[in-house]
Amino acid sequence: MSLLDYFRISKVGTASVAKERLQILVAHERSSKNQPSYLPQLQKELLAVIQKYVNVGQDAISVSFEQDEEQETLELNIVLPDQK
Amino acid sequence: MARIIVVTSGKGGVGKTTTSAAIAMGLAKRGHKTAVIDFDVGLRNLDLIMGCERRVVYDFVNVINEEATLNQALIRDKNCNLLYILPASQTRDKDALSQEGVGRVLDELKKDFKYIVCDSPAGIEKGAHLAMYFADDAFVVTNPEVSSVRDSDRMLGLLASKSRRAEQNEEPINEFLLLTRYSPDRVKLGEMLSVDDVQDILSLHLLGVIPESKSVLNASNSGMPVILDEKSDAGQAYADIVARYLGEDRPHRFIDDKKGFFRKLFGG
């Protein structure tokens, strides 16, 4: 650091911001990387089947995949429209 | 037993070819017969960095297609007679490399060479995939910069899932981090990710840090791998990396700001 830097308005380096952003991003990308590759297709086909019987929107179904040491869980969540 | 090293990064422009040229030369200089292969089909450049661009007659694709023998295509380095270069083809055909063909050439090289260095192209397309597919060791070249670190993490995922070793349930590829274009003074100012920051994110074994250095451009300008510039910081950093890879215990250098008192005082 040069002597002149001491007189500049103190500024926080951007490296810490970079590290924080990377940690969040990399953690997210690693978790989605372990998902089976058929997941998006599965979601699409399930939606098509459900829409044959019930009038639901595109976002009425969510599929999530979780993995821990012991087991893999495929969670399927379907929101049905209000009965009238 | 021959070992295949892939030099990879995902992101372009981080120093893969500079690193491939330097470590291949370093291994050969230390007495190991080494071949270095350019996998960047269509954008050949290793020949230029090695200073043998005018001696290219046949290339990697010619050997795969059996239009030339391996011995016809290999170029012996002018500085070291244990080092051979296999240049990439300049064809625009994306499918010029086949997994079977690359495997065959590598098998043939393994009979005669101790180390085979595969200089990967940027990206995750076929050339990059085949460069790492047969590897035993991976040198992941990373700049202390967000996009490079992210791409390196992506490459680590591919090394662990899409390589021959992964597919055949063998021991995984040994992965090493090479942090290039490092500026200790900028790290000190908090302007650049530090070695520790990058290791926190990638959790890789650090093989060495290459400082940002004028000698790298000087070396490529003159077609001499930078490791031959023994007085330069980058040249010494690569020599350390080769030594560490061969099992020597060398303390890390070029990580701390080593500027003199007066330069610190007045900047520059």
Side-chain angles (χ1 to χ4, degrees), chain A residues 1-6 8 11-30 33, chain B residues 145-147 149-150 153-154 156-157 188-193 196-197 200-203 257 263-268:
Chain A
M1 193 183 281
S2 119
L3 190 61
L4 294 173
D5 289 330
Y6 289 106
R8 285 185 199 149
K11 56 178 194 296
V12 181
T14 48
S16 53
V17 182
K19 186 180 182 183
E20 205 183 304
R21 290 174 60 214
L22 271 170
Q23 278 173 324
I24 295 166
L25 181 71
V26 163
H28 177 74
E29 287 183 339
R30 280 181 194 161
K33 194 170 59 197
Chain B
E145 181 272 326
V146 284
S147 49
V149 175
R150 178 200 212 171
D153 189 67
R154 184 105 171 78
L156 291 172
K188 207 173 166 189
L189 287 170
E191 293 176 356
M192 183 181 270
L193 291 165
D196 291 339
D197 290 340
D200 277 353
I201 295 159
L202 296 178
S203 11
D257 194 3
R263 285 184 68 193
K264 264 187 189 161
L265 202 59
F266 297 109

Short mmCIF file of all heavy atoms in Angstrom, two decimals, chain A residues 1-6 8 11-30 33, chain B residues 145-147 149-150 153-154 156-157 188-193 196-197 200-203 257 263-268:
data_model
loop_
_atom_site.label_atom_id
_atom_site.label_comp_id
_atom_site.label_asym_id
_atom_site.label_seq_id
_atom_site.Cartn_x
_atom_site.Cartn_y
_atom_site.Cartn_z
N MET A 1 0.85 -1.19 0.00
CA MET A 1 0.00 0.00 0.00
C MET A 1 0.89 1.25 0.00
O MET A 1 1.85 1.33 0.74
CB MET A 1 -0.89 -0.04 1.24
CG MET A 1 -2.02 0.96 1.16
SD MET A 1 -3.00 0.97 2.65
CE MET A 1 -4.01 -0.46 2.43
N SER A 2 0.59 2.16 -0.85
CA SER A 2 1.43 3.35 -0.94
C SER A 2 1.00 4.38 0.10
O SER A 2 -0.12 4.35 0.61
CB SER A 2 1.35 3.91 -2.36
OG SER A 2 0.83 5.20 -2.35
N LEU A 3 1.92 5.28 0.39
CA LEU A 3 1.66 6.32 1.38
C LEU A 3 0.43 7.13 0.98
O LEU A 3 -0.39 7.51 1.82
CB LEU A 3 2.90 7.23 1.45
CG LEU A 3 2.95 8.24 2.59
CD1 LEU A 3 2.91 7.54 3.94
CD2 LEU A 3 4.18 9.11 2.48
N LEU A 4 0.31 7.37 -0.31
CA LEU A 4 -0.81 8.16 -0.81
C LEU A 4 -2.15 7.50 -0.49
O LEU A 4 -3.14 8.18 -0.24
CB LEU A 4 -0.68 8.35 -2.32
CG LEU A 4 0.53 9.18 -2.76
CD1 LEU A 4 0.65 9.17 -4.28
CD2 LEU A 4 0.40 10.62 -2.25
N ASP A 5 -2.13 6.14 -0.45
CA ASP A 5 -3.38 5.43 -0.20
C ASP A 5 -3.95 5.76 1.18
O ASP A 5 -5.15 5.69 1.38
CB ASP A 5 -3.16 3.91 -0.31
CG ASP A 5 -2.94 3.49 -1.75
OD1 ASP A 5 -3.48 4.16 -2.63
OD2 ASP A 5 -2.19 2.51 -1.97
N TYR A 6 -3.06 6.09 2.12
CA TYR A 6 -3.54 6.37 3.48
C TYR A 6 -4.40 7.62 3.52
O TYR A 6 -5.19 7.82 4.41
CB TYR A 6 -2.36 6.52 4.44
CG TYR A 6 -1.67 5.21 4.71
CD1 TYR A 6 -0.43 4.93 4.15
CD2 TYR A 6 -2.28 4.24 5.52
CE1 TYR A 6 0.19 3.73 4.38
CE2 TYR A 6 -1.67 3.03 5.75
CZ TYR A 6 -0.42 2.77 5.19
OH TYR A 6 0.19 1.58 5.42
N ARG A 8 -6.38 8.52 0.97
CA ARG A 8 -7.61 8.34 0.23
C ARG A 8 -8.75 7.99 1.17
O ARG A 8 -8.53 7.48 2.27
CB ARG A 8 -7.45 7.20 -0.79
CG ARG A 8 -6.63 7.64 -1.97
CD ARG A 8 -6.60 6.53 -3.00
NE ARG A 8 -5.48 6.75 -3.91
CZ ARG A 8 -4.80 5.79 -4.51
NH1 ARG A 8 -5.11 4.53 -4.28
NH2 ARG A 8 -3.82 6.07 -5.32
N LYS A 11 -11.67 2.74 1.61
CA LYS A 11 -12.62 1.98 0.80
C LYS A 11 -12.49 0.49 1.14
O LYS A 11 -11.42 0.01 1.45
CB LYS A 11 -12.35 2.21 -0.68
CG LYS A 11 -10.92 1.89 -1.09
CD LYS A 11 -10.76 2.10 -2.57
CE LYS A 11 -9.49 1.50 -3.12
NZ LYS A 11 -8.23 2.02 -2.67
N VAL A 12 -13.63 -0.18 1.13
CA VAL A 12 -13.60 -1.62 1.39
C VAL A 12 -13.28 -2.33 0.08
O VAL A 12 -13.86 -2.03 -0.95
CB VAL A 12 -14.96 -2.09 1.94
CG1 VAL A 12 -14.91 -3.58 2.25
CG2 VAL A 12 -15.32 -1.30 3.18
N GLY A 13 -12.33 -3.24 0.13
CA GLY A 13 -11.98 -3.99 -1.08
C GLY A 13 -13.16 -4.81 -1.57
O GLY A 13 -14.04 -5.18 -0.81
N THR A 14 -13.14 -5.09 -2.86
CA THR A 14 -14.25 -5.83 -3.46
C THR A 14 -14.04 -7.34 -3.39
O THR A 14 -14.94 -8.10 -3.72
CB THR A 14 -14.45 -5.42 -4.93
OG1 THR A 14 -13.16 -5.46 -5.56
CG2 THR A 14 -15.03 -4.03 -5.04
N ALA A 15 -12.86 -7.77 -2.95
CA ALA A 15 -12.57 -9.21 -2.92
C ALA A 15 -13.52 -9.96 -2.00
O ALA A 15 -13.95 -11.06 -2.31
CB ALA A 15 -11.12 -9.44 -2.49
N SER A 16 -13.88 -9.33 -0.87
CA SER A 16 -14.76 -10.03 0.07
C SER A 16 -16.15 -10.21 -0.53
O SER A 16 -16.82 -11.22 -0.29
CB SER A 16 -14.83 -9.26 1.39
OG SER A 16 -15.19 -7.93 1.15
N VAL A 17 -16.57 -9.23 -1.32
CA VAL A 17 -17.87 -9.35 -2.00
C VAL A 17 -17.80 -10.51 -2.99
O VAL A 17 -18.72 -11.33 -3.09
CB VAL A 17 -18.21 -8.04 -2.76
CG1 VAL A 17 -19.57 -8.15 -3.44
CG2 VAL A 17 -18.17 -6.85 -1.82
N ALA A 18 -16.68 -10.58 -3.71
CA ALA A 18 -16.50 -11.64 -4.71
C ALA A 18 -16.57 -13.00 -4.04
O ALA A 18 -17.24 -13.92 -4.53
CB ALA A 18 -15.15 -11.47 -5.41
N LYS A 19 -15.91 -13.13 -2.90
CA LYS A 19 -15.87 -14.42 -2.21
C LYS A 19 -17.27 -14.84 -1.75
O LYS A 19 -17.69 -15.98 -1.96
CB LYS A 19 -14.93 -14.35 -1.02
CG LYS A 19 -14.75 -15.70 -0.35
CD LYS A 19 -13.82 -15.66 0.82
CE LYS A 19 -13.66 -17.05 1.41
NZ LYS A 19 -12.82 -17.05 2.61
N GLU A 20 -17.99 -13.86 -1.18
CA GLU A 20 -19.33 -14.18 -0.69
C GLU A 20 -20.24 -14.61 -1.83
O GLU A 20 -20.97 -15.60 -1.73
CB GLU A 20 -19.88 -12.92 -0.01
CG GLU A 20 -20.94 -13.20 1.03
CD GLU A 20 -21.47 -11.90 1.59
OE1 GLU A 20 -20.65 -11.10 2.08
OE2 GLU A 20 -22.69 -11.69 1.51
N ARG A 21 -20.19 -13.87 -2.94
CA ARG A 21 -21.04 -14.21 -4.09
C ARG A 21 -20.70 -15.60 -4.63
O ARG A 21 -21.58 -16.39 -4.95
CB ARG A 21 -20.87 -13.17 -5.19
CG ARG A 21 -21.46 -11.82 -4.83
CD ARG A 21 -21.13 -10.79 -5.90
NE ARG A 21 -21.66 -11.15 -7.21
CZ ARG A 21 -21.06 -10.87 -8.36
NH1 ARG A 21 -19.91 -10.22 -8.37
NH2 ARG A 21 -21.60 -11.21 -9.49
N LEU A 22 -19.40 -15.87 -4.69
CA LEU A 22 -18.97 -17.18 -5.21
C LEU A 22 -19.41 -18.33 -4.31
O LEU A 22 -19.84 -19.37 -4.79
CB LEU A 22 -17.45 -17.21 -5.34
CG LEU A 22 -16.90 -16.72 -6.68
CD1 LEU A 22 -15.39 -16.57 -6.59
CD2 LEU A 22 -17.27 -17.66 -7.81
N GLN A 23 -19.29 -18.12 -3.00
CA GLN A 23 -19.65 -19.20 -2.08
C GLN A 23 -21.12 -19.58 -2.23
O GLN A 23 -21.46 -20.76 -2.26
CB GLN A 23 -19.34 -18.79 -0.63
CG GLN A 23 -17.87 -19.01 -0.29
CD GLN A 23 -17.48 -18.47 1.06
OE1 GLN A 23 -17.98 -17.43 1.49
NE2 GLN A 23 -16.58 -19.16 1.74
N ILE A 24 -21.97 -18.57 -2.35
CA ILE A 24 -23.40 -18.83 -2.49
C ILE A 24 -23.68 -19.54 -3.82
O ILE A 24 -24.34 -20.56 -3.89
CB ILE A 24 -24.20 -17.51 -2.41
CG1 ILE A 24 -24.06 -16.91 -1.01
CG2 ILE A 24 -25.67 -17.74 -2.76
CD1 ILE A 24 -24.50 -15.48 -0.89
N LEU A 25 -23.08 -19.00 -4.88
CA LEU A 25 -23.32 -19.53 -6.22
C LEU A 25 -22.83 -20.97 -6.37
O LEU A 25 -23.54 -21.84 -6.88
CB LEU A 25 -22.60 -18.63 -7.23
CG LEU A 25 -22.75 -19.00 -8.69
CD1 LEU A 25 -24.16 -18.71 -9.15
CD2 LEU A 25 -21.75 -18.24 -9.53
N VAL A 26 -21.61 -21.19 -5.89
CA VAL A 26 -21.01 -22.52 -6.05
C VAL A 26 -21.80 -23.56 -5.24
O VAL A 26 -22.05 -24.66 -5.72
CB VAL A 26 -19.52 -22.47 -5.64
CG1 VAL A 26 -18.97 -23.86 -5.39
CG2 VAL A 26 -18.71 -21.77 -6.73
N ALA A 27 -22.23 -23.19 -4.04
CA ALA A 27 -23.03 -24.12 -3.23
C ALA A 27 -24.32 -24.48 -3.96
O ALA A 27 -24.73 -25.64 -4.01
CB ALA A 27 -23.34 -23.50 -1.87
N HIS A 28 -24.95 -23.47 -4.54
CA HIS A 28 -26.20 -23.69 -5.28
C HIS A 28 -25.96 -24.60 -6.49
O HIS A 28 -26.72 -25.54 -6.72
CB HIS A 28 -26.77 -22.35 -5.71
CG HIS A 28 -28.02 -22.47 -6.53
ND1 HIS A 28 -29.22 -22.82 -5.99
CD2 HIS A 28 -28.20 -22.32 -7.86
CE1 HIS A 28 -30.13 -22.88 -6.96
NE2 HIS A 28 -29.54 -22.58 -8.11
N GLU A 29 -24.91 -24.30 -7.23
CA GLU A 29 -24.65 -25.07 -8.45
C GLU A 29 -24.26 -26.51 -8.14
O GLU A 29 -24.58 -27.42 -8.88
CB GLU A 29 -23.58 -24.39 -9.30
CG GLU A 29 -24.12 -23.14 -9.97
CD GLU A 29 -23.14 -22.45 -10.90
OE1 GLU A 29 -21.91 -22.66 -10.77
OE2 GLU A 29 -23.60 -21.70 -11.76
N ARG A 30 -23.56 -26.70 -7.03
CA ARG A 30 -23.18 -28.06 -6.66
C ARG A 30 -24.40 -28.87 -6.29
O ARG A 30 -24.50 -30.05 -6.62
CB ARG A 30 -22.20 -28.05 -5.49
CG ARG A 30 -20.78 -27.75 -5.95
CD ARG A 30 -19.82 -27.78 -4.77
NE ARG A 30 -18.55 -27.18 -5.16
CZ ARG A 30 -17.65 -26.74 -4.30
NH1 ARG A 30 -17.87 -26.82 -3.00
NH2 ARG A 30 -16.52 -26.22 -4.73
N LYS A 33 -26.34 -29.79 -9.35
CA LYS A 33 -25.58 -30.68 -10.24
C LYS A 33 -25.86 -32.15 -9.94
O LYS A 33 -25.83 -33.00 -10.81
CB LYS A 33 -24.09 -30.38 -10.06
CG LYS A 33 -23.19 -30.95 -11.11
CD LYS A 33 -21.80 -30.39 -10.96
CE LYS A 33 -21.22 -30.71 -9.59
NZ LYS A 33 -20.07 -29.87 -9.25
N GLU B 145 -10.46 -14.61 -9.80
CA GLU B 145 -11.50 -13.76 -10.41
C GLU B 145 -12.76 -14.60 -10.48
O GLU B 145 -12.70 -15.81 -10.72
CB GLU B 145 -10.97 -13.35 -11.79
CG GLU B 145 -11.81 -12.46 -12.63
CD GLU B 145 -12.76 -13.27 -13.46
OE1 GLU B 145 -12.42 -14.37 -13.90
OE2 GLU B 145 -13.88 -12.80 -13.64
N VAL B 146 -13.93 -13.97 -10.26
CA VAL B 146 -15.17 -14.74 -10.05
C VAL B 146 -15.51 -15.71 -11.18
O VAL B 146 -15.85 -16.87 -10.93
CB VAL B 146 -16.40 -13.83 -9.76
CG1 VAL B 146 -16.36 -13.31 -8.34
CG2 VAL B 146 -16.52 -12.71 -10.76
N SER B 147 -15.43 -15.27 -12.44
CA SER B 147 -15.88 -16.16 -13.52
C SER B 147 -14.95 -17.36 -13.66
O SER B 147 -15.38 -18.47 -13.95
CB SER B 147 -16.05 -15.41 -14.84
OG SER B 147 -14.92 -14.65 -15.11
N VAL B 149 -13.16 -18.79 -11.23
CA VAL B 149 -13.36 -19.71 -10.10
C VAL B 149 -14.63 -20.53 -10.31
O VAL B 149 -14.64 -21.75 -10.11
CB VAL B 149 -13.42 -18.94 -8.76
CG1 VAL B 149 -13.75 -19.88 -7.60
CG2 VAL B 149 -12.10 -18.23 -8.49
N ARG B 150 -15.67 -19.87 -10.77
CA ARG B 150 -16.92 -20.59 -11.01
C ARG B 150 -16.72 -21.67 -12.08
O ARG B 150 -17.16 -22.81 -11.92
CB ARG B 150 -17.99 -19.61 -11.48
CG ARG B 150 -19.29 -20.27 -11.79
CD ARG B 150 -20.13 -19.42 -12.68
NE ARG B 150 -21.56 -19.60 -12.40
CZ ARG B 150 -22.51 -18.85 -12.93
NH1 ARG B 150 -22.21 -17.85 -13.70
NH2 ARG B 150 -23.77 -19.09 -12.67
N ASP B 153 -14.88 -24.67 -10.83
CA ASP B 153 -15.73 -25.54 -10.02
C ASP B 153 -16.57 -26.46 -10.93
O ASP B 153 -16.75 -27.63 -10.64
CB ASP B 153 -16.65 -24.72 -9.12
CG ASP B 153 -17.39 -25.60 -8.13
OD1 ASP B 153 -16.72 -26.19 -7.24
OD2 ASP B 153 -18.62 -25.76 -8.25
N ARG B 154 -17.03 -25.88 -12.02
CA ARG B 154 -17.80 -26.65 -13.00
C ARG B 154 -16.93 -27.76 -13.60
O ARG B 154 -17.38 -28.89 -13.77
CB ARG B 154 -18.27 -25.67 -14.08
CG ARG B 154 -19.17 -26.24 -15.12
CD ARG B 154 -20.61 -25.80 -14.90
NE ARG B 154 -21.44 -26.19 -16.05
CZ ARG B 154 -21.89 -27.42 -16.25
NH1 ARG B 154 -21.61 -28.37 -15.39
NH2 ARG B 154 -22.62 -27.70 -17.32
N LEU B 156 -14.40 -29.21 -12.22
CA LEU B 156 -14.18 -30.23 -11.19
C LEU B 156 -15.34 -31.22 -11.17
O LEU B 156 -15.13 -32.43 -11.03
CB LEU B 156 -14.01 -29.59 -9.81
CG LEU B 156 -12.73 -28.77 -9.62
CD1 LEU B 156 -12.76 -28.03 -8.29
CD2 LEU B 156 -11.51 -29.69 -9.68
N GLY B 157 -16.55 -30.70 -11.34
CA GLY B 157 -17.72 -31.57 -11.41
C GLY B 157 -17.63 -32.53 -12.59
O GLY B 157 -17.94 -33.71 -12.47
N LYS B 188 -3.53 -7.76 -1.04
CA LYS B 188 -3.32 -7.05 0.22
C LYS B 188 -4.29 -5.88 0.36
O LYS B 188 -4.76 -5.56 1.46
CB LYS B 188 -1.87 -6.57 0.28
CG LYS B 188 -1.35 -6.43 1.69
CD LYS B 188 0.12 -6.10 1.65
CE LYS B 188 0.60 -5.62 3.00
NZ LYS B 188 1.97 -5.10 2.90
N LEU B 189 -4.58 -5.25 -0.74
CA LEU B 189 -5.52 -4.12 -0.72
C LEU B 189 -6.98 -4.57 -0.67
O LEU B 189 -7.88 -3.75 -0.64
CB LEU B 189 -5.31 -3.26 -1.98
CG LEU B 189 -4.05 -2.40 -2.03
CD1 LEU B 189 -3.87 -1.81 -3.42
CD2 LEU B 189 -4.12 -1.29 -0.99
N GLY B 190 -7.19 -5.88 -0.70
CA GLY B 190 -8.55 -6.39 -0.69
C GLY B 190 -9.23 -6.27 -2.03
O GLY B 190 -10.46 -6.32 -2.14
N GLU B 191 -8.44 -6.10 -3.09
CA GLU B 191 -9.02 -5.93 -4.42
C GLU B 191 -9.11 -7.24 -5.18
O GLU B 191 -9.73 -7.30 -6.24
CB GLU B 191 -8.16 -4.97 -5.26
CG GLU B 191 -8.17 -3.55 -4.77
CD GLU B 191 -7.24 -2.68 -5.59
OE1 GLU B 191 -6.53 -3.19 -6.47
OE2 GLU B 191 -7.21 -1.47 -5.31
N MET B 192 -8.41 -8.26 -4.69
CA MET B 192 -8.36 -9.53 -5.43
C MET B 192 -8.54 -10.68 -4.46
O MET B 192 -8.06 -10.63 -3.33
CB MET B 192 -6.98 -9.63 -6.13
CG MET B 192 -6.80 -10.86 -6.99
SD MET B 192 -5.17 -10.93 -7.75
CE MET B 192 -5.46 -10.06 -9.29
N LEU B 193 -9.22 -11.74 -4.91
CA LEU B 193 -9.38 -12.95 -4.10
C LEU B 193 -8.00 -13.49 -3.74
O LEU B 193 -7.11 -13.54 -4.59
CB LEU B 193 -10.14 -14.01 -4.89
CG LEU B 193 -11.63 -13.74 -5.17
CD1 LEU B 193 -12.14 -14.69 -6.25
CD2 LEU B 193 -12.45 -13.89 -3.91
N ASP B 196 -6.15 -18.22 -0.19
CA ASP B 196 -7.03 -18.87 0.79
C ASP B 196 -8.50 -18.78 0.39
O ASP B 196 -9.25 -19.74 0.55
CB ASP B 196 -6.83 -18.24 2.18
CG ASP B 196 -5.45 -18.57 2.74
OD1 ASP B 196 -4.85 -19.57 2.27
OD2 ASP B 196 -4.99 -17.84 3.63
N ASP B 197 -8.89 -17.62 -0.13
CA ASP B 197 -10.28 -17.46 -0.58
C ASP B 197 -10.61 -18.50 -1.64
O ASP B 197 -11.64 -19.18 -1.57
CB ASP B 197 -10.49 -16.06 -1.21
CG ASP B 197 -10.44 -14.94 -0.18
OD1 ASP B 197 -10.63 -15.22 1.01
OD2 ASP B 197 -10.19 -13.78 -0.59
N ASP B 200 -10.78 -21.93 -0.20
CA ASP B 200 -12.01 -22.12 0.59
C ASP B 200 -13.15 -22.55 -0.31
O ASP B 200 -13.99 -23.38 0.07
CB ASP B 200 -12.41 -20.80 1.27
CG ASP B 200 -11.66 -20.58 2.57
OD1 ASP B 200 -10.95 -21.52 2.99
OD2 ASP B 200 -11.78 -19.48 3.15
N ILE B 201 -13.20 -21.97 -1.51
CA ILE B 201 -14.31 -22.26 -2.40
C ILE B 201 -14.10 -23.58 -3.16
O ILE B 201 -14.99 -24.41 -3.24
CB ILE B 201 -14.52 -21.08 -3.39
CG1 ILE B 201 -14.96 -19.84 -2.60
CG2 ILE B 201 -15.55 -21.43 -4.46
CD1 ILE B 201 -14.74 -18.54 -3.31
N LEU B 202 -12.90 -23.79 -3.68
CA LEU B 202 -12.68 -24.97 -4.52
C LEU B 202 -12.16 -26.18 -3.75
O LEU B 202 -12.22 -27.30 -4.24
CB LEU B 202 -11.70 -24.63 -5.66
CG LEU B 202 -12.15 -23.57 -6.66
CD1 LEU B 202 -11.06 -23.31 -7.69
CD2 LEU B 202 -13.43 -24.00 -7.37
N SER B 203 -11.65 -25.97 -2.56
CA SER B 203 -11.00 -27.01 -1.73
C SER B 203 -10.16 -27.99 -2.57
O SER B 203 -10.46 -29.17 -2.66
CB SER B 203 -11.98 -27.79 -0.84
OG SER B 203 -13.30 -27.55 -1.15
N ASP B 257 3.29 -10.04 -0.68
CA ASP B 257 3.79 -8.82 -1.28
C ASP B 257 5.24 -8.62 -0.83
O ASP B 257 5.50 -8.42 0.34
CB ASP B 257 2.92 -7.66 -0.80
CG ASP B 257 3.14 -6.42 -1.62
OD1 ASP B 257 3.93 -6.47 -2.57
OD2 ASP B 257 2.52 -5.40 -1.28
N ARG B 263 9.33 1.33 -2.45
CA ARG B 263 8.26 1.13 -3.43
C ARG B 263 6.91 1.08 -2.72
O ARG B 263 5.90 1.53 -3.24
CB ARG B 263 8.50 -0.15 -4.25
CG ARG B 263 9.59 0.05 -5.28
CD ARG B 263 9.74 -1.18 -6.15
NE ARG B 263 8.58 -1.39 -7.01
CZ ARG B 263 8.37 -2.52 -7.67
NH1 ARG B 263 9.21 -3.52 -7.54
NH2 ARG B 263 7.33 -2.62 -8.45
N LYS B 264 6.89 0.52 -1.51
CA LYS B 264 5.65 0.47 -0.74
C LYS B 264 5.21 1.90 -0.39
O LYS B 264 4.05 2.25 -0.45
CB LYS B 264 5.87 -0.30 0.55
CG LYS B 264 5.46 -1.74 0.43
CD LYS B 264 5.54 -2.40 1.79
CE LYS B 264 5.33 -3.89 1.62
NZ LYS B 264 5.81 -4.63 2.75
N LEU B 265 6.22 2.69 -0.02
CA LEU B 265 5.95 4.04 0.43
C LEU B 265 5.36 4.89 -0.70
O LEU B 265 4.41 5.64 -0.52
CB LEU B 265 7.26 4.64 0.93
CG LEU B 265 7.15 5.81 1.91
CD1 LEU B 265 6.39 5.40 3.14
CD2 LEU B 265 8.55 6.28 2.28
N PHE B 266 5.94 4.73 -1.87
CA PHE B 266 5.53 5.62 -2.96
C PHE B 266 4.66 4.94 -4.00
O PHE B 266 4.27 5.56 -4.98
CB PHE B 266 6.78 6.21 -3.63
CG PHE B 266 7.59 7.05 -2.68
CD1 PHE B 266 8.80 6.62 -2.21
CD2 PHE B 266 7.06 8.24 -2.20
CE1 PHE B 266 9.53 7.37 -1.31
CE2 PHE B 266 7.77 9.01 -1.30
CZ PHE B 266 9.02 8.57 -0.84
N GLY B 267 4.35 3.68 -3.78
CA GLY B 267 3.49 2.97 -4.73
C GLY B 267 4.25 2.57 -5.97
O GLY B 267 5.42 2.85 -6.11
N GLY B 268 3.52 1.93 -6.90
CA GLY B 268 4.15 1.55 -8.17
C GLY B 268 4.73 0.17 -8.13
O GLY B 268 4.63 -0.54 -7.18
#
